[in-house]
Every structure is written in C-alpha cells, then in structure tokens.
Amino acid sequence: TEDAELSDDVRDRFMAQSETGRLLITLCYLNTALVNSRLERRQSPEMQAYYQGLYEHYQPLIAEIMANPASTRTITRLDGENYFDLLEALQAGGILRSEERLAAYNLGRTWEETILGMGRDELQGFMNTYSCLASVRNASLEMRAVTQQGPAIVMGAH
C-alpha cells in the first residue's frame, strides 16, 4: 500500500502498453483473492527479512525501469538470477506452488538471453510480440490454480 502510486504507474505507463502486460494485469486482477489468501499465511522471520531485502533492492529498480519513461537502466544477468532466487523463496514460503514456480522458471529461462541488456523501450517492444504473449499465456495455463477468465476483482478489494 505504501507504493500504490508506483503500482499504478507501473500498471498504466509500462504494463498496459503491451499485449503481454495487459494479460498480466488481467491475471493479477482475476487472481487477487488467491494471491491475498496465500500472502496471509504466516511467514518465518527469515522469509520476511528475505522478502524485505528484495523489496528494498528492487523497488527503486522497478521505479526506474518501469515507471520512468526516460530510464536508461537495462536488464542484467544478476536481475535474472535474482528472479530465479525469488521464485525459489516464494515457493518455500508457500506463495507459489511447485508447478507455478516451474512454469515461471521455465518462462524465465526461455527468455533470459533475449531480454538481457534490454532497456525499458526494448522490453515493452518485446512484450508486444506474439511469441512473448503466447509464452506467458502458455505458462499461466500450466498454473492450475490460476484463474484465466471471469470477473476481475480490483486489487485490494475483497
């Protein structure tokens, strides 16, 4: 909630500008209740500290690359490795099921070399390609608990 304005900027100024981004926005809205219920689970202090560290590291990055149209920041190999580490932690914390982590992992490995070195504009262009959209859609279909269609629930609403 502290970053509601940043979340709105990322959604409106970055994600909504591509087909893949719009799919991800829709999936987030359709699955708000699922995400909220998983986030309500008690996390160990170690997991909470880990998540907080990631937040502190990546909040400025997200603000720079996704919410700043003038950004010159590019995707690095370390960003990719941190993504894979995050998936492991989210599974360990009960946020992701194993098939969800595996689908997200495979998606990341499929595109890691392609997006390496991309800046904001290149990333948005890539997210507008059919191959990116199809791969994200196929990965989401492997996540059996994820709702693919139906009435969207606005984030934060119950």
Side-chain angles (χ1 to χ4, degrees):
T1 57
E2 304 97 38
D3 285 324
E5 186 176 333
L6 175 59
S7 295
D8 290 346
D9 280 350
V10 168
R11 182 194 63 219
D12 298 341
R13 296 168 71 193
F14 183 79
M15 301 299 281
Q17 304 307 310
S18 69
E19 292 293 324
T20 302
R22 287 189 290 275
L23 171 63
L24 291 169
I25 291 168
T26 300
L27 290 173
C28 285
Y29 284 155
L30 289 173
N31 292 282
T32 298
L34 173 67
V35 172
N36 285 341
S37 70
R38 290 184 184 180
L39 288 173
E40 288 171 358
R41 295 182 185 144
R42 187 82 176 128
Q43 299 293 312
S44 71
E46 296 82 15
M47 291 304 288
Q48 289 176 357
Y50 177 76
Y51 296 144
Q52 184 64 35
L54 286 173
Y55 171 83
E56 289 169 2
H57 179 78
Y58 278 103
Q59 190 274 355
L61 168 65
I62 290 170
E64 174 63 20
I65 202 166
M66 292 182 167
N68 179 3
S71 174
T72 58
R73 170 71 160 76
T74 62
I75 303 296
T76 67
R77 193 162 304 281
L78 180 59
D79 295 329
E81 291 310 312
N82 287 335
Y83 166 77
F84 297 118
D85 290 345
L86 175 61
L87 293 177
E88 292 294 329
L90 291 173
Q91 182 182 356
I95 310 282
L96 290 178
R97 291 182 174 174
S98 59
E99 78 268 2
E100 295 162 350
R101 188 212 47 87
L102 182 59
Y105 176 90
N106 289 339
L107 184 64
R109 288 295 182 205
T110 297
W111 296 114
E112 68 183 321
E113 294 300 320
T114 301
I115 67 169
L116 188 62
M118 283 188 179
R120 184 180 197 279
D121 292 341
E122 295 100 347
L123 195 53
Q124 276 185 326
F126 170 69
M127 290 174 65
N128 251 333
T129 65
Y130 176 77
S131 56
C132 180
L133 176 63
S135 66
V136 170
R137 180 174 288 129
N138 290 338
S140 71
L141 291 172
E142 293 176 31
M143 301 175 183
R144 293 184 298 274
V146 173
T147 300
Q148 300 292 323
Q149 57 188 348
I153 300 170
V154 176
M155 297 291 271
H158 297 309

